[in-house]
Short mmCIF file of all heavy atoms in Angstrom, two decimals:
data_model
loop_
_atom_site.label_atom_id
_atom_site.label_comp_id
_atom_site.label_asym_id
_atom_site.label_seq_id
_atom_site.Cartn_x
_atom_site.Cartn_y
_atom_site.Cartn_z
N ARG A 125 -31.59 -62.00 40.26
CA ARG A 125 -32.52 -61.94 39.26
C ARG A 125 -32.01 -61.14 38.11
O ARG A 125 -30.92 -60.39 38.19
CB ARG A 125 -33.84 -61.38 39.78
CG ARG A 125 -33.76 -60.07 40.33
CD ARG A 125 -34.96 -59.74 41.16
NE ARG A 125 -34.91 -58.45 41.90
CZ ARG A 125 -34.27 -58.22 43.00
NH1 ARG A 125 -33.56 -59.28 43.58
NH2 ARG A 125 -34.16 -57.10 43.53
N LYS A 126 -32.65 -61.23 36.90
CA LYS A 126 -32.23 -60.55 35.82
C LYS A 126 -33.02 -59.31 35.51
O LYS A 126 -34.22 -59.22 35.86
CB LYS A 126 -32.38 -61.37 34.53
CG LYS A 126 -31.30 -62.54 34.60
CD LYS A 126 -31.38 -63.44 33.40
CE LYS A 126 -30.34 -64.56 33.52
NZ LYS A 126 -30.41 -65.44 32.33
N LEU A 127 -32.36 -58.20 34.93
CA LEU A 127 -33.14 -57.04 34.50
C LEU A 127 -32.89 -56.80 32.99
O LEU A 127 -31.81 -57.08 32.48
CB LEU A 127 -32.48 -55.77 35.19
CG LEU A 127 -32.70 -55.59 36.65
CD1 LEU A 127 -31.89 -54.35 37.08
CD2 LEU A 127 -34.17 -55.37 36.97
N ARG A 128 -33.87 -56.41 32.34
CA ARG A 128 -33.75 -56.07 30.95
C ARG A 128 -32.96 -54.80 30.70
O ARG A 128 -32.18 -54.68 29.78
CB ARG A 128 -35.12 -55.89 30.24
CG ARG A 128 -35.87 -57.16 30.18
CD ARG A 128 -37.08 -56.98 29.35
NE ARG A 128 -38.09 -57.76 29.97
CZ ARG A 128 -39.28 -58.08 29.31
NH1 ARG A 128 -39.45 -57.66 28.19
NH2 ARG A 128 -40.04 -58.84 29.98
N LYS A 129 -33.14 -53.78 31.56
CA LYS A 129 -32.32 -52.64 31.53
C LYS A 129 -32.17 -52.01 32.91
O LYS A 129 -32.78 -52.40 33.82
CB LYS A 129 -33.03 -51.56 30.65
CG LYS A 129 -34.38 -51.23 31.05
CD LYS A 129 -35.11 -50.34 30.05
CE LYS A 129 -36.52 -49.97 30.48
NZ LYS A 129 -37.19 -49.12 29.60
N LEU A 130 -31.14 -51.14 32.99
CA LEU A 130 -30.76 -50.62 34.29
C LEU A 130 -31.81 -49.63 34.74
O LEU A 130 -32.50 -48.90 33.86
CB LEU A 130 -29.45 -49.83 34.09
CG LEU A 130 -28.17 -50.62 33.93
CD1 LEU A 130 -26.97 -49.78 33.56
CD2 LEU A 130 -27.95 -51.58 35.10
N PRO A 131 -32.07 -49.44 36.04
CA PRO A 131 -33.03 -48.43 36.48
C PRO A 131 -32.62 -47.01 36.08
O PRO A 131 -31.42 -46.69 35.88
CB PRO A 131 -32.94 -48.51 38.01
CG PRO A 131 -32.30 -49.86 38.26
CD PRO A 131 -31.47 -50.20 37.04
N ARG A 132 -33.61 -46.17 35.73
CA ARG A 132 -33.26 -44.78 35.36
C ARG A 132 -32.97 -43.85 36.50
O ARG A 132 -32.29 -42.79 36.28
CB ARG A 132 -34.46 -44.16 34.55
CG ARG A 132 -34.62 -44.86 33.29
CD ARG A 132 -35.67 -44.28 32.44
NE ARG A 132 -35.78 -44.86 31.11
CZ ARG A 132 -36.46 -44.34 30.13
NH1 ARG A 132 -37.14 -43.15 30.31
NH2 ARG A 132 -36.38 -44.89 29.01
N SER A 133 -33.43 -44.17 37.74
CA SER A 133 -33.11 -43.31 38.78
C SER A 133 -32.49 -44.09 39.93
O SER A 133 -32.73 -45.29 40.02
CB SER A 133 -34.35 -42.54 39.25
OG SER A 133 -35.33 -43.41 39.71
N ARG A 134 -31.88 -43.39 40.85
CA ARG A 134 -31.19 -44.01 42.00
C ARG A 134 -30.32 -45.26 41.64
O ARG A 134 -30.46 -46.23 42.31
CB ARG A 134 -32.28 -44.34 43.06
CG ARG A 134 -32.89 -43.10 43.60
CD ARG A 134 -33.64 -43.24 44.93
NE ARG A 134 -34.89 -43.94 44.54
CZ ARG A 134 -35.91 -44.31 45.41
NH1 ARG A 134 -35.53 -44.15 46.71
NH2 ARG A 134 -36.89 -44.89 45.06
N CYS A 135 -29.57 -45.12 40.58
CA CYS A 135 -28.67 -46.15 40.18
C CYS A 135 -27.38 -45.51 39.75
O CYS A 135 -27.38 -44.59 38.95
CB CYS A 135 -29.32 -46.90 39.00
SG CYS A 135 -28.36 -48.27 38.37
N TRP A 136 -26.27 -45.97 40.38
CA TRP A 136 -25.06 -45.27 40.16
C TRP A 136 -24.00 -46.23 39.71
O TRP A 136 -23.79 -47.39 40.26
CB TRP A 136 -24.58 -44.72 41.58
CG TRP A 136 -25.57 -43.73 42.16
CD1 TRP A 136 -25.62 -42.43 41.90
CD2 TRP A 136 -26.54 -44.09 43.16
NE1 TRP A 136 -26.67 -41.87 42.66
CE2 TRP A 136 -27.17 -42.91 43.46
CE3 TRP A 136 -26.87 -45.22 43.74
CZ2 TRP A 136 -28.40 -42.82 44.23
CZ3 TRP A 136 -28.01 -45.20 44.56
CH2 TRP A 136 -28.65 -44.02 44.81
N PHE A 137 -23.24 -45.79 38.74
CA PHE A 137 -22.08 -46.62 38.19
C PHE A 137 -20.99 -46.54 39.23
O PHE A 137 -20.51 -45.52 39.62
CB PHE A 137 -21.65 -45.96 36.94
CG PHE A 137 -20.39 -46.78 36.29
CD1 PHE A 137 -20.55 -47.99 35.78
CD2 PHE A 137 -19.21 -46.08 36.29
CE1 PHE A 137 -19.41 -48.61 35.21
CE2 PHE A 137 -18.11 -46.67 35.80
CZ PHE A 137 -18.25 -47.93 35.21
N VAL A 138 -20.45 -47.73 39.63
CA VAL A 138 -19.36 -47.87 40.58
C VAL A 138 -18.12 -48.05 39.88
O VAL A 138 -17.04 -47.42 40.25
CB VAL A 138 -19.69 -49.02 41.56
CG1 VAL A 138 -18.52 -49.20 42.51
CG2 VAL A 138 -20.92 -48.84 42.24
N GLY A 139 -18.01 -48.87 38.83
CA GLY A 139 -16.77 -49.08 38.17
C GLY A 139 -16.83 -50.34 37.30
O GLY A 139 -17.78 -50.99 37.23
N TYR A 140 -15.65 -50.73 36.85
CA TYR A 140 -15.48 -51.93 36.05
C TYR A 140 -14.83 -52.98 36.89
O TYR A 140 -14.00 -52.67 37.76
CB TYR A 140 -14.60 -51.73 34.77
CG TYR A 140 -15.19 -50.71 33.89
CD1 TYR A 140 -14.79 -49.38 33.89
CD2 TYR A 140 -16.21 -51.13 33.02
CE1 TYR A 140 -15.36 -48.44 32.95
CE2 TYR A 140 -16.74 -50.19 32.07
CZ TYR A 140 -16.30 -48.89 32.10
OH TYR A 140 -16.86 -47.96 31.14
N ALA A 141 -15.29 -54.21 36.67
CA ALA A 141 -14.76 -55.33 37.51
C ALA A 141 -13.68 -56.00 36.76
O ALA A 141 -13.70 -55.95 35.47
CB ALA A 141 -15.92 -56.34 37.65
N GLU A 142 -12.64 -56.44 37.44
CA GLU A 142 -11.57 -57.32 36.91
C GLU A 142 -12.08 -58.69 36.91
O GLU A 142 -12.58 -59.25 37.87
CB GLU A 142 -10.34 -57.20 37.80
CG GLU A 142 -9.72 -55.73 37.89
CD GLU A 142 -9.20 -55.33 36.57
OE1 GLU A 142 -8.70 -56.16 35.80
OE2 GLU A 142 -9.26 -54.04 36.26
N GLY A 143 -11.98 -59.34 35.72
CA GLY A 143 -12.41 -60.72 35.64
C GLY A 143 -14.01 -60.78 35.50
O GLY A 143 -14.62 -59.78 35.17
N ASN A 144 -14.48 -61.90 35.72
CA ASN A 144 -15.92 -62.22 35.57
C ASN A 144 -16.62 -61.78 36.83
O ASN A 144 -16.66 -62.57 37.85
CB ASN A 144 -16.17 -63.73 35.29
CG ASN A 144 -17.60 -63.98 34.91
OD1 ASN A 144 -18.55 -63.38 35.50
ND2 ASN A 144 -17.82 -64.97 34.12
N ALA A 145 -17.37 -60.74 36.80
CA ALA A 145 -17.99 -60.13 38.11
C ALA A 145 -19.10 -61.00 38.53
O ALA A 145 -19.45 -61.15 39.75
CB ALA A 145 -18.44 -58.73 37.75
N VAL A 146 -19.91 -61.66 37.59
CA VAL A 146 -20.98 -62.49 37.96
C VAL A 146 -20.53 -63.71 38.76
O VAL A 146 -21.04 -63.99 39.76
CB VAL A 146 -21.79 -62.90 36.71
CG1 VAL A 146 -22.86 -63.90 37.07
CG2 VAL A 146 -22.36 -61.65 36.01
N ASP A 147 -19.43 -64.35 38.24
CA ASP A 147 -18.91 -65.49 39.03
C ASP A 147 -18.46 -65.00 40.39
O ASP A 147 -18.63 -65.74 41.45
CB ASP A 147 -17.73 -66.08 38.24
CG ASP A 147 -18.27 -66.87 37.09
OD1 ASP A 147 -19.42 -67.28 36.99
OD2 ASP A 147 -17.37 -67.24 36.17
N LYS A 148 -17.70 -63.90 40.38
CA LYS A 148 -17.18 -63.41 41.79
C LYS A 148 -18.39 -63.07 42.68
O LYS A 148 -18.38 -63.41 43.90
CB LYS A 148 -16.39 -62.17 41.54
CG LYS A 148 -15.05 -62.47 40.91
CD LYS A 148 -14.25 -61.25 40.70
CE LYS A 148 -12.91 -61.56 40.07
NZ LYS A 148 -12.07 -60.41 39.90
N ALA A 149 -19.59 -62.58 42.17
CA ALA A 149 -20.66 -62.28 43.04
C ALA A 149 -21.20 -63.63 43.58
O ALA A 149 -21.66 -63.71 44.71
CB ALA A 149 -21.76 -61.53 42.19
N TYR A 150 -21.34 -64.59 42.69
CA TYR A 150 -21.89 -65.90 43.15
C TYR A 150 -20.92 -66.49 44.25
O TYR A 150 -21.43 -67.03 45.27
CB TYR A 150 -21.97 -66.88 42.04
CG TYR A 150 -23.25 -66.71 41.22
CD1 TYR A 150 -23.28 -66.34 39.84
CD2 TYR A 150 -24.58 -66.77 41.77
CE1 TYR A 150 -24.40 -66.18 39.10
CE2 TYR A 150 -25.75 -66.54 41.04
CZ TYR A 150 -25.60 -66.20 39.77
OH TYR A 150 -26.75 -66.01 39.04
N ASP A 151 -19.72 -66.39 44.05
CA ASP A 151 -18.63 -66.84 45.03
C ASP A 151 -18.86 -66.09 46.34
O ASP A 151 -18.87 -66.74 47.39
CB ASP A 151 -17.22 -66.66 44.61
CG ASP A 151 -16.89 -67.64 43.51
OD1 ASP A 151 -17.62 -68.71 43.19
OD2 ASP A 151 -15.89 -67.46 42.78
N PHE A 152 -19.10 -64.80 46.35
CA PHE A 152 -19.33 -64.00 47.47
C PHE A 152 -20.53 -64.46 48.22
O PHE A 152 -20.61 -64.51 49.39
CB PHE A 152 -19.35 -62.54 47.14
CG PHE A 152 -19.69 -61.63 48.25
CD1 PHE A 152 -18.72 -61.20 49.15
CD2 PHE A 152 -20.93 -61.11 48.40
CE1 PHE A 152 -19.13 -60.40 50.23
CE2 PHE A 152 -21.31 -60.28 49.50
CZ PHE A 152 -20.43 -59.98 50.34
N ASN A 153 -21.60 -64.71 47.42
CA ASN A 153 -22.90 -65.08 48.01
C ASN A 153 -22.80 -66.35 48.77
O ASN A 153 -23.49 -66.60 49.77
CB ASN A 153 -23.96 -65.20 46.90
CG ASN A 153 -24.38 -63.93 46.43
OD1 ASN A 153 -24.14 -62.79 46.91
ND2 ASN A 153 -25.08 -63.88 45.16
N ASN A 154 -21.93 -67.23 48.33
CA ASN A 154 -21.76 -68.53 49.05
C ASN A 154 -21.11 -68.38 50.37
O ASN A 154 -21.21 -69.27 51.23
CB ASN A 154 -20.92 -69.50 48.15
CG ASN A 154 -21.74 -70.00 46.92
OD1 ASN A 154 -23.02 -70.10 47.05
ND2 ASN A 154 -20.91 -70.32 45.94
N THR A 155 -20.44 -67.30 50.66
CA THR A 155 -19.81 -67.05 51.96
C THR A 155 -20.53 -66.07 52.89
O THR A 155 -20.21 -65.85 53.92
CB THR A 155 -18.35 -66.57 51.71
OG1 THR A 155 -18.41 -65.29 51.07
CG2 THR A 155 -17.49 -67.63 50.96
N TRP A 156 -21.55 -65.45 52.28
CA TRP A 156 -22.31 -64.32 53.00
C TRP A 156 -23.11 -64.96 54.12
O TRP A 156 -24.02 -65.83 53.90
CB TRP A 156 -23.13 -63.50 52.04
CG TRP A 156 -23.92 -62.45 52.74
CD1 TRP A 156 -25.27 -62.35 52.98
CD2 TRP A 156 -23.36 -61.13 53.13
NE1 TRP A 156 -25.57 -61.19 53.61
CE2 TRP A 156 -24.41 -60.42 53.69
CE3 TRP A 156 -22.10 -60.64 53.11
CZ2 TRP A 156 -24.27 -59.15 54.24
CZ3 TRP A 156 -21.93 -59.37 53.67
CH2 TRP A 156 -23.03 -58.67 54.21
N GLU A 157 -23.01 -64.50 55.31
CA GLU A 157 -23.82 -64.93 56.45
C GLU A 157 -25.25 -64.39 56.30
O GLU A 157 -25.40 -63.14 55.99
CB GLU A 157 -23.25 -64.46 57.79
CG GLU A 157 -21.96 -65.08 58.20
CD GLU A 157 -22.11 -66.59 58.45
OE1 GLU A 157 -23.16 -66.98 59.03
OE2 GLU A 157 -21.19 -67.34 58.08
N VAL A 158 -26.30 -65.20 56.50
CA VAL A 158 -27.66 -64.86 56.27
C VAL A 158 -28.33 -64.37 57.57
O VAL A 158 -29.60 -64.15 57.57
CB VAL A 158 -28.49 -65.86 55.53
CG1 VAL A 158 -28.02 -66.05 54.12
CG2 VAL A 158 -28.49 -67.16 56.34
#
Side-chain angles (χ1 to χ4, degrees):
R125 57 195 175 282
K126 294 182 180 180
L127 288 177
R128 289 186 217 200
K129 57 185 178 179
L130 293 172
R132 291 185 174 192
S133 63
R134 294 193 283 176
C135 182
W136 304 273
F137 175 72
V138 176
Y140 295 100
E142 296 293 328
N144 186 327
V146 174
D147 286 347
K148 288 180 181 183
Y150 281 120
D151 290 345
F152 175 79
N153 289 346
N154 289 332
T155 63
W156 182 255
E157 292 292 325
V158 293

